[in-house]
Amino acid sequence: MTDRPTPSRPGGNIDAASDVYRELFECNPHPMWVYDKDSLAFLAVNDAAIARYGYSRAEFLQMTILDIRPEEDRDRLLSWIKRDRGTVWKSGAWRHRWKDGTVRDVEISSHWCRFNGRRARLVVVDDITDVILAAEEAAVWSRQQAAIAELGSHGLATTSLATFLDRAVRQTADVLGVEYCKVLELLPDRSALRLRAGVGWQDGLV
């Protein structure tokens, strides 16, 4: 298994490490790989990387770390890896592209090592997409609740229905991030709806 590395201790040599470290690499539930410092080519990947990203081991070993990035992120990556960041890196959030085209947010931890006599970097990937989505949903929910509370307070303070409805549609459009929002009134004869308040509509329609 010449293409499957063994993670080494800090400052150690991956080629000389024991089978214990090889097992830690192969069986780690997080995607892991080793890439060449100069060419950026994948030198080895573990089973978790293959299962998660969808590429076979042979496909990985014909690619570079640029190939799993959205094209618009590649210049940023090249700039980032040129900087001297010491032995151990924690990268923060990046985007990786799965074989099926799915783009996920990940966080990377990595360490310089030696692999088959080549200077390389050992990488551990943590998929943080669900964490980011949960945080965004919580922020949206918080904004929505704040908008409801503010509208309630405004409704108690004003005696003008038209003013209240105008504020309601504008605030709703802002919170939801939409261009159009409206309030319709059912006419007394129930034959039609009248536009009572709205944003995004032509002048004179309200």
Side-chain angles (χ1 to χ4, degrees), residues 77-136:
L77 173 62
L78 290 173
S79 177
W80 199 88
I81 62 180
K82 287 178 181 178
R83 302 174 189 172
D84 183 7
R85 301 178 185 277
T87 301
V88 179
W89 294 354
K90 194 152 182 88
S91 72
W94 288 85
R95 299 191 304 163
H96 280 183
R97 189 183 63 226
W98 275 212
K99 184 177 180 179
D100 65 5
T102 300
V103 175
R104 305 277 291 183
D105 295 291
V106 301
E107 189 172 70
I108 294 174
S109 300
S110 61
H111 190 292
W112 285 123
C113 62
R114 301 290 297 182
F115 179 67
N116 290 340
R118 301 163 75 172
R119 186 159 171 78
R121 195 153 195 98
L122 175 66
V123 174
V124 181
V125 179
D126 187 18
D127 188 339
I128 60 173
T129 304
D130 293 339
V131 174
I132 291 176
L133 288 176
E136 291 175 349

Coordinates of all heavy atoms in Angstrom, one line a residue, residues 77-136:
L77 N -6.6 30.1 -2.7 CA -5.8 29.0 -2.1 C -4.3 29.1 -2.4 O -3.5 28.9 -1.5 CB -6.4 27.7 -2.6 CG -5.6 26.4 -2.3 CD1 -5.6 26.2 -0.7 CD2 -6.1 25.2 -3.0
L78 N -4.0 29.4 -3.7 CA -2.6 29.5 -4.0 C -1.9 30.6 -3.2 O -0.7 30.4 -2.8 CB -2.5 29.8 -5.5 CG -2.9 28.7 -6.5 CD1 -2.9 29.1 -7.9 CD2 -1.9 27.5 -6.3
S79 N -2.6 31.7 -3.0 CA -2.0 32.8 -2.2 C -1.9 32.4 -0.8 O -0.8 32.7 -0.1 CB -2.9 34.0 -2.3 OG -2.5 35.1 -1.5
W80 N -2.8 31.6 -0.3 CA -2.8 31.2 1.1 C -1.7 30.3 1.4 O -1.0 30.4 2.4 CB -4.2 30.6 1.5 CG -4.5 30.6 2.9 CD1 -5.1 31.5 3.7 CD2 -4.2 29.5 3.8 NE1 -5.2 31.1 5.0 CE2 -4.7 29.9 5.1 CE3 -3.6 28.2 3.7 CZ2 -4.6 29.1 6.2 CZ3 -3.5 27.4 4.8 CH2 -4.0 27.9 6.1
I81 N -1.4 29.3 0.6 CA -0.4 28.3 0.9 C 1.0 28.8 0.7 O 1.9 28.1 1.1 CB -0.7 27.0 0.1 CG1 -0.6 27.3 -1.4 CG2 -2.0 26.4 0.4 CD1 -0.8 26.0 -2.3
K82 N 1.1 29.9 0.0 CA 2.5 30.5 -0.2 C 3.0 31.1 1.0 O 4.2 31.3 1.2 CB 2.5 31.5 -1.4 CG 2.3 30.9 -2.7 CD 2.3 31.9 -3.8 CE 2.1 31.3 -5.2 NZ 2.1 32.4 -6.3
R83 N 2.2 31.5 2.0 CA 2.6 32.1 3.2 C 3.2 31.2 4.2 O 2.7 30.0 4.3 CB 1.4 32.9 3.8 CG 0.8 33.9 2.9 CD -0.4 34.5 3.5 NE -1.2 35.4 2.5 CZ -2.4 35.9 2.8 NH1 -3.0 35.7 3.9 NH2 -3.0 36.6 1.8
D84 N 4.2 31.6 4.9 CA 4.8 30.8 5.9 C 3.9 30.8 7.2 O 3.8 31.8 7.9 CB 6.2 31.3 6.3 CG 6.9 30.4 7.3 OD1 6.3 29.4 7.7 OD2 8.0 30.8 7.8
R85 N 3.2 29.7 7.5 CA 2.3 29.6 8.6 C 2.8 28.6 9.7 O 2.0 28.2 10.5 CB 0.9 29.2 8.1 CG 0.4 30.2 7.1 CD -1.0 29.8 6.5 NE -1.5 30.7 5.5 CZ -2.1 31.8 5.7 NH1 -2.3 32.2 6.9 NH2 -2.5 32.6 4.7
G86 N 4.0 28.2 9.6 CA 4.5 27.3 10.6 C 4.2 25.9 10.3 O 3.8 25.6 9.2
T87 N 4.4 25.0 11.2 CA 4.3 23.6 11.0 C 2.8 23.1 10.9 O 2.4 22.4 10.1 CB 5.0 22.8 12.1 OG1 6.4 23.1 12.0 CG2 4.9 21.3 11.8
V88 N 2.0 23.6 11.9 CA 0.7 23.2 12.0 C -0.3 24.3 11.6 O -0.1 25.4 12.0 CB 0.3 22.8 13.5 CG1 -1.1 22.4 13.6 CG2 1.2 21.7 13.9
W89 N -1.2 24.0 10.7 CA -2.1 25.0 10.2 C -3.6 24.7 10.6 O -3.9 23.5 10.6 CB -2.1 25.1 8.7 CG -0.9 25.6 8.0 CD1 0.2 26.1 8.7 CD2 -0.6 25.7 6.6 NE1 1.2 26.4 7.8 CE2 0.7 26.2 6.5 CE3 -1.3 25.3 5.5 CZ2 1.4 26.4 5.3 CZ3 -0.7 25.5 4.3 CH2 0.6 26.0 4.1
K90 N -4.3 25.7 10.9 CA -5.8 25.5 11.0 C -6.4 26.6 10.1 O -6.2 27.8 10.3 CB -6.3 25.7 12.4 CG -7.7 25.2 12.6 CD -8.0 24.7 14.0 CE -9.4 24.2 14.2 NZ -9.5 22.8 13.9
S91 N -7.0 26.1 9.0 CA -7.3 27.0 7.9 C -8.5 27.9 8.1 O -8.6 28.9 7.3 CB -7.5 26.2 6.7 OG -8.7 25.5 6.7
G92 N -9.4 27.6 8.9 CA -10.7 28.3 8.9 C -11.6 27.7 7.8 O -11.3 26.7 7.2
A93 N -12.6 28.4 7.4 CA -13.6 27.9 6.5 C -13.2 28.0 5.0 O -12.7 29.1 4.6 CB -15.0 28.6 6.7
W94 N -13.3 26.9 4.3 CA -13.1 26.9 2.8 C -14.2 26.2 2.2 O -15.1 25.6 2.9 CB -11.8 26.1 2.5 CG -10.5 26.9 2.9 CD1 -9.9 26.9 4.1 CD2 -9.7 27.7 2.1 NE1 -8.8 27.8 4.1 CE2 -8.7 28.2 2.8 CE3 -9.9 28.1 0.7 CZ2 -7.7 29.1 2.3 CZ3 -8.9 28.9 0.2 CH2 -7.8 29.4 1.0
R95 N -14.2 26.1 0.9 CA -15.3 25.4 0.1 C -14.6 24.3 -0.7 O -13.6 24.5 -1.4 CB -16.0 26.3 -0.8 CG -16.8 27.4 -0.1 CD -17.7 28.2 -1.0 NE -17.0 28.7 -2.2 CZ -17.6 29.1 -3.3 NH1 -18.9 29.0 -3.4 NH2 -16.9 29.6 -4.3
H96 N -15.2 23.1 -0.6 CA -14.7 22.0 -1.4 C -15.8 21.5 -2.3 O -17.0 21.5 -1.9 CB -14.2 20.8 -0.5 CG -12.9 21.0 0.1 ND1 -12.2 20.1 0.9 CD2 -12.0 22.1 -0.1 CE1 -11.0 20.6 1.2 NE2 -10.9 21.8 0.6
R97 N -15.5 21.0 -3.5 CA -16.4 20.4 -4.4 C -16.4 18.9 -4.4 O -15.3 18.3 -4.7 CB -16.2 21.0 -5.8 CG -17.3 20.7 -6.8 CD -16.9 21.2 -8.2 NE -15.8 20.6 -8.7 CZ -14.8 21.2 -9.3 NH1 -14.8 22.5 -9.4 NH2 -13.7 20.5 -9.8
W98 N -17.5 18.3 -4.2 CA -17.6 16.8 -4.3 C -17.6 16.4 -5.8 O -17.8 17.3 -6.7 CB -18.9 16.4 -3.6 CG -18.9 16.1 -2.2 CD1 -19.7 15.2 -1.5 CD2 -18.2 16.8 -1.1 NE1 -19.5 15.2 -0.2 CE2 -18.6 16.2 0.1 CE3 -17.3 17.8 -1.1 CZ2 -18.1 16.6 1.4 CZ3 -16.8 18.3 0.1 CH2 -17.2 17.6 1.3
K99 N -17.5 15.1 -6.1 CA -17.5 14.7 -7.4 C -18.8 15.0 -8.1 O -18.8 15.3 -9.3 CB -17.2 13.2 -7.5 CG -17.0 12.6 -8.9 CD -16.7 11.2 -8.9 CE -16.6 10.7 -10.4 NZ -16.2 9.2 -10.4
D100 N -19.9 14.9 -7.4 CA -21.2 15.2 -8.0 C -21.5 16.6 -8.2 O -22.6 17.0 -8.6 CB -22.3 14.5 -7.2 CG -22.5 15.1 -5.8 OD1 -21.8 16.1 -5.5 OD2 -23.3 14.5 -5.0
G101 N -20.6 17.5 -7.9 CA -20.8 18.9 -8.1 C -21.2 19.7 -6.8 O -21.2 20.9 -6.8
T102 N -21.6 18.9 -5.8 CA -22.0 19.6 -4.5 C -20.8 20.3 -3.9 O -19.7 19.9 -3.9 CB -22.4 18.5 -3.5 OG1 -23.5 17.8 -4.0 CG2 -22.8 19.1 -2.2
V103 N -21.1 21.5 -3.4 CA -20.1 22.4 -2.8 C -20.4 22.4 -1.3 O -21.5 22.8 -0.9 CB -20.0 23.8 -3.4 CG1 -19.0 24.6 -2.6 CG2 -19.6 23.7 -4.9
R104 N -19.4 22.1 -0.5 CA -19.6 22.0 1.0 C -18.6 22.9 1.6 O -17.5 23.2 1.1 CB -19.4 20.6 1.5 CG -20.3 19.6 0.9 CD -21.7 19.6 1.5 NE -21.7 19.1 2.9 CZ -22.8 18.9 3.6 NH1 -24.0 19.3 3.1 NH2 -22.8 18.5 4.8
D105 N -18.9 23.5 2.8 CA -18.0 24.3 3.6 C -17.2 23.3 4.5 O -17.8 22.4 5.2 CB -18.8 25.3 4.5 CG -19.5 26.3 3.6 OD1 -18.8 27.1 3.0 OD2 -20.7 26.3 3.6
V106 N -15.9 23.5 4.6 CA -15.1 22.6 5.4 C -14.1 23.5 6.2 O -13.8 24.6 5.8 CB -14.3 21.6 4.5 CG1 -15.3 20.7 3.7 CG2 -13.3 22.3 3.6
E107 N -13.5 22.9 7.2 CA -12.4 23.5 7.9 C -11.3 22.5 7.9 O -11.5 21.3 8.1 CB -12.8 23.7 9.4 CG -11.8 24.6 10.2 CD -12.3 25.0 11.5 OE1 -12.5 24.1 12.4 OE2 -12.6 26.2 11.7
I108 N -10.1 23.0 7.7 CA -8.9 22.1 7.5 C -7.9 22.3 8.6 O -7.5 23.5 8.9 CB -8.3 22.3 6.1 CG1 -9.3 21.9 5.0 CG2 -7.0 21.6 5.9 CD1 -8.8 22.3 3.6
S109 N -7.4 21.2 9.1 CA -6.2 21.2 9.9 C -5.1 20.4 9.2 O -5.4 19.4 8.6 CB -6.5 20.6 11.3 OG -7.5 21.3 12.0
S110 N -3.9 20.9 9.2 CA -2.8 20.2 8.5 C -1.5 20.4 9.2 O -1.3 21.2 10.0 CB -2.7 20.7 7.0 OG -2.4 22.1 7.0
H111 N -0.5 19.5 8.7 CA 0.8 19.4 9.4 C 1.8 19.0 8.3 O 1.6 18.1 7.5 CB 0.7 18.3 10.5 CG 1.9 18.3 11.3 ND1 3.2 17.9 10.9 CD2 2.1 18.6 12.6 CE1 4.0 18.0 11.9 NE2 3.4 18.4 13.0
W112 N 3.0 19.7 8.3 CA 4.0 19.3 7.4 C 4.6 17.9 7.8 O 4.7 17.6 8.9 CB 5.2 20.3 7.4 CG 4.9 21.6 6.7 CD1 5.0 22.8 7.2 CD2 4.5 21.7 5.3 NE1 4.6 23.8 6.2 CE2 4.4 23.1 5.1 CE3 4.3 20.8 4.2 CZ2 4.0 23.6 3.8 CZ3 3.9 21.3 3.0 CH2 3.8 22.7 2.8
C113 N 4.9 17.1 6.8 CA 5.5 15.8 7.0 C 6.4 15.4 5.8 O 6.5 16.1 4.9 CB 4.3 14.8 7.2 SG 3.3 14.6 5.8
R114 N 6.9 14.2 5.9 CA 7.7 13.6 4.8 C 6.9 12.4 4.3 O 6.4 11.6 5.1 CB 9.1 13.2 5.3 CG 9.9 14.3 5.8 CD 10.4 15.2 4.7 NE 11.2 14.6 3.7 CZ 11.7 15.3 2.7 NH1 11.5 16.6 2.6 NH2 12.5 14.7 1.8
F115 N 6.8 12.2 3.0 CA 6.1 11.1 2.5 C 6.9 10.5 1.3 O 7.0 11.3 0.3 CB 4.7 11.4 2.0 CG 3.9 10.3 1.4 CD1 3.5 9.2 2.2 CD2 3.5 10.3 0.1 CE1 2.8 8.2 1.7 CE2 2.8 9.3 -0.5 CZ 2.5 8.2 0.3
N116 N 7.4 9.3 1.4 CA 8.2 8.7 0.3 C 9.3 9.7 -0.1 O 9.6 9.8 -1.3 CB 7.4 8.4 -0.9 CG 6.4 7.2 -0.6 OD1 6.7 6.4 0.3 ND2 5.4 7.1 -1.4
G117 N 10.0 10.3 0.9 CA 11.1 11.2 0.6 C 10.7 12.6 0.1 O 11.6 13.4 -0.2
R118 N 9.4 12.9 0.0 CA 9.0 14.1 -0.5 C 8.4 15.0 0.6 O 7.8 14.5 1.5 CB 7.9 13.9 -1.6 CG 8.4 13.1 -2.7 CD 7.3 12.5 -3.6 NE 6.6 13.5 -4.4 CZ 5.7 13.1 -5.3 NH1 5.3 11.9 -5.5 NH2 5.2 14.1 -6.1
R119 N 8.6 16.3 0.5 CA 8.0 17.2 1.5 C 6.5 17.3 1.2 O 6.1 17.7 0.0 CB 8.7 18.6 1.4 CG 8.2 19.5 2.5 CD 9.3 20.6 2.7 NE 8.8 21.7 3.6 CZ 8.7 21.6 4.9 NH1 9.1 20.5 5.5 NH2 8.3 22.6 5.7
A120 N 5.7 17.1 2.2 CA 4.3 17.0 1.9 C 3.5 17.6 3.1 O 4.1 18.0 4.1 CB 3.9 15.5 1.7
R121 N 2.2 17.6 3.0 CA 1.4 18.0 4.1 C 0.2 17.1 4.3 O -0.5 16.6 3.4 CB 0.8 19.4 3.7 CG 0.3 20.1 5.0 CD 0.3 21.6 4.9 NE 0.1 22.2 6.2 CZ 1.1 22.7 7.0 NH1 2.3 22.6 6.6 NH2 0.8 23.2 8.2
L122 N 0.1 16.7 5.6 CA -1.0 15.8 6.0 C -2.2 16.7 6.4 O -2.1 17.6 7.2 CB -0.5 15.0 7.2 CG -1.6 14.1 7.9 CD1 -2.0 13.0 7.0 CD2 -1.0 13.5 9.2
V123 N -3.4 16.4 5.8 CA -4.6 17.2 6.0 C -5.7 16.4 6.6 O -5.9 15.2 6.3 CB -5.0 17.7 4.6 CG1 -6.4 18.4 4.7 CG2 -4.0 18.6 4.0
V124 N -6.4 17.0 7.6 CA -7.6 16.5 8.1 C -8.8 17.5 7.8 O -8.6 18.7 8.1 CB -7.5 16.3 9.7 CG1 -8.8 15.7 10.2 CG2 -6.3 15.4 10.0
V125 N -9.9 17.0 7.3 CA -11.0 17.8 6.9 C -12.2 17.6 7.8 O -12.6 16.5 8.1 CB -11.4 17.4 5.4 CG1 -12.6 18.3 5.0 CG2 -10.2 17.6 4.5
D126 N -12.8 18.7 8.2 CA -14.0 18.7 9.0 C -15.1 19.4 8.2 O -15.0 20.6 7.9 CB -13.8 19.3 10.4 CG -14.9 19.2 11.3 OD1 -15.8 18.3 11.1 OD2 -15.0 20.0 12.3
D127 N -16.2 18.7 7.9 CA -17.3 19.3 7.1 C -18.1 20.1 8.1 O -18.7 19.6 9.0 CB -18.1 18.2 6.5 CG -19.2 18.7 5.6 OD1 -19.6 19.9 5.7 OD2 -19.7 18.0 4.7
I128 N -18.2 21.4 7.9 CA -18.9 22.3 8.8 C -20.1 22.9 8.1 O -20.7 23.9 8.7 CB -18.0 23.5 9.3 CG1 -17.4 24.3 8.1 CG2 -16.8 22.9 10.2 CD1 -16.6 25.5 8.6
T129 N -20.6 22.4 7.0 CA -21.7 22.9 6.3 C -22.9 23.0 7.1 O -23.6 24.0 7.2 CB -22.0 22.1 5.0 OG1 -20.8 22.0 4.2 CG2 -23.1 22.7 4.2
D130 N -23.3 21.9 7.8 CA -24.5 21.9 8.7 C -24.4 22.9 9.8 O -25.4 23.5 10.2 CB -24.7 20.5 9.2 CG -25.1 19.5 8.1 OD1 -25.5 20.0 7.0 OD2 -24.9 18.3 8.3
V131 N -23.2 23.1 10.4 CA -23.0 24.0 11.4 C -23.3 25.4 10.9 O -24.0 26.2 11.6 CB -21.6 23.9 12.0 CG1 -21.4 25.0 13.1 CG2 -21.4 22.6 12.7
I132 N -22.8 25.8 9.8 CA -23.0 27.1 9.2 C -24.4 27.3 8.9 O -25.0 28.4 9.1 CB -22.1 27.3 7.9 CG1 -20.6 27.3 8.3 CG2 -22.5 28.5 7.2 CD1 -19.7 27.4 7.2
L133 N -25.1 26.3 8.3 CA -26.5 26.5 7.9 C -27.4 26.7 9.2 O -28.3 27.5 9.2 CB -27.0 25.2 7.2 CG -26.5 25.1 5.7 CD1 -26.9 23.8 5.1 CD2 -26.9 26.3 4.9
A134 N -27.0 25.9 10.2 CA -27.8 26.1 11.5 C -27.6 27.5 12.1 O -28.6 28.1 12.6 CB -27.3 25.0 12.5
A135 N -26.4 28.0 12.0 CA -26.2 29.3 12.5 C -26.9 30.4 11.7 O -27.5 31.3 12.2 CB -24.6 29.6 12.5
E136 N -26.9 30.2 10.4 CA -27.6 31.1 9.5 C -29.1 31.1 9.8 O -29.8 32.1 9.8 CB -27.4 30.8 8.0 CG -25.9 31.1 7.6 CD -25.6 30.7 6.2 OE1 -26.5 30.0 5.6 OE2 -24.6 31.1 5.7

